[in-house]
Amino acid sequence: MAQIEYKDLLDAGVHFGHLTRKWDPRMAPYIFMEKNGIHIIDLNKTVAALDEACNAIKGIVRSGRKVMFVATKKQAQEIVSEEARRLKMPYVTDRWQGGMLTNFATIRKSLKKMQTLDKMLKDEETVKSIAKRERLTRTRDKEKLERVLGGIADLTRLPAALFVVDVKREHIAVAEAHRLGIPVFAMCDTNSNPEDVEFAIPANDDAYKSIALITLAIGKAIEEGLMERKQDKDDQRVQEEEEAKRNEDLAQARAEGATQPEAEAAPVAVADDEQEA
């Protein structure tokens, strides 16, 4: 993983926390100092936490599992959705629908309904056969479902981990993940509780540049995990092909060995006949 420079964190404003009166005391180990009524985050702790989180998330992706991105605040929606789509990972950026994890069976029914509406509205014969009002109603239903569930349309099972931008804002998602034993990687500002997540990354979760920097670092780790998984698959395929070739050669050698004594028996028999003559 490419190491993020200390200067990059400073330029992105990752070190700026909230007003001191809004802080959560459990963030004290990650706070460097107070300046002009604002808490300053210790970037050494940020670098160490980000490195640990990236290594852990890379291992999860390498095993073939999915990481869900969750960021519904306006300044995070664009960068998070773009990065998730690039990596082909599920994401939620409109609003977190209660039960999205704990009631996943019902969510899958909604996904199926969305796919059915999409297929129906793409069929010109069907569109022409229904009334204009009904067509408009179904189009609106499809757009609403796509807005809320579009990012998880290809999700067939629960994700293995969550990456959350704001712990306080996405507390429902974090609670559902904990209930199911799903680890949470999250950006924690000075007003958040880092004990709510397994991998807390102390950082400014309000500034676009800060969100983008941390999100892209997580995305890079996921990308490396995907590449390593692909390499593992390629190595396994080569190993299987070599094993199959070895078994084939062994079988052929055994077959040739079984026919060899018969070929040698004929000269011996001829020699016996000549001796009797």
Side-chain angles (χ1 to χ4, degrees), residues 141-156:
D141 289 343
K142 171 181 168 288
E143 290 174 352
K144 182 180 178 181
L145 286 170
E146 281 186 343
R147 189 172 64 251
V148 178
L149 303 175
I152 62 169
D154 298 326
L155 193 64
T156 56

Side-chain angles (χ1 to χ4, degrees), residues 20-39:
T20 54
R21 60 186 173 84
K22 292 184 178 181
W23 81 310
D24 189 313
R26 286 163 291 195
M27 277 295 291
Y30 303 102
I31 294 175
F32 177 66
M33 64 179 291
E34 174 191 339
K35 185 176 181 181
N36 299 329
I38 295 175
H39 276 131

Side-chain angles (χ1 to χ4, degrees), residues 237-248:
R237 188 178 68 252
V238 170
Q239 186 177 355
E240 289 175 354
E241 289 175 355
E242 290 178 352
E243 185 68 23
K245 183 70 169 67
R246 213 165 24 240
N247 291 337
E248 184 180 346

Side-chain angles (χ1 to χ4, degrees), residues 166-200:
D166 188 334
V167 176
K168 291 194 72 173
R169 185 183 180 93
E170 316 299 347
H171 66 278
I172 299 176
V174 173
E176 288 190 25
H178 283 171
R179 187 173 177 182
L180 296 172
I182 298 173
V184 179
F185 299 75
M187 294 177 64
C188 291
D189 212 326
T190 55
N191 66 335
S192 306
N193 178 12
E195 297 174 5
D196 283 343
V197 299
E198 285 73 18
F199 295 89

Side-chain angles (χ1 to χ4, degrees), residues 3-15:
Q3 185 68 34
I4 290 182
E5 297 291 336
Y6 199 87
K7 185 177 181 297
D8 297 333
L9 295 172
L10 282 172
D11 292 342
V14 175
H15 57 295

Side-chain angles (χ1 to χ4, degrees), residues 10-101:
L10 282 172
D11 292 342
V14 175
H15 57 295
F16 290 119
H18 280 269
L19 294 173
T20 54
R21 60 186 173 84
K22 292 184 178 181
W23 81 310
D24 189 313
R26 286 163 291 195
M27 277 295 291
Y30 303 102
I31 294 175
F32 177 66
M33 64 179 291
E34 174 191 339
K35 185 176 181 181
N36 299 329
I38 295 175
H39 276 131
I40 304 299
I41 296 170
D42 187 346
L43 293 182
N44 291 314
K45 300 287 182 68
T46 301
V47 170
L50 182 59
D51 190 50
E52 182 185 1
C54 287
N55 288 330
I57 213 165
K58 182 165 68 171
I60 289 173
V61 175
R62 186 174 181 176
S63 66
R65 294 173 292 172
K66 297 283 187 180
V67 176
M68 179 184 283
F69 288 68
V70 183
T72 60
K73 56 171 43 177
K74 188 175 180 181
Q75 58 268 47
Q77 290 175 340
E78 182 182 354
I79 183 64
V80 169
S81 59
E82 285 181 2
E83 190 66 5
R85 282 196 294 266
R86 183 180 74 84
L87 299 167
K88 297 181 180 178
M89 291 290 169
Y91 64 92
V92 177
T93 54
D94 184 74
R95 73 179 178 86
W96 182 268
Q97 187 169 342
M100 194 169 282
L101 295 178

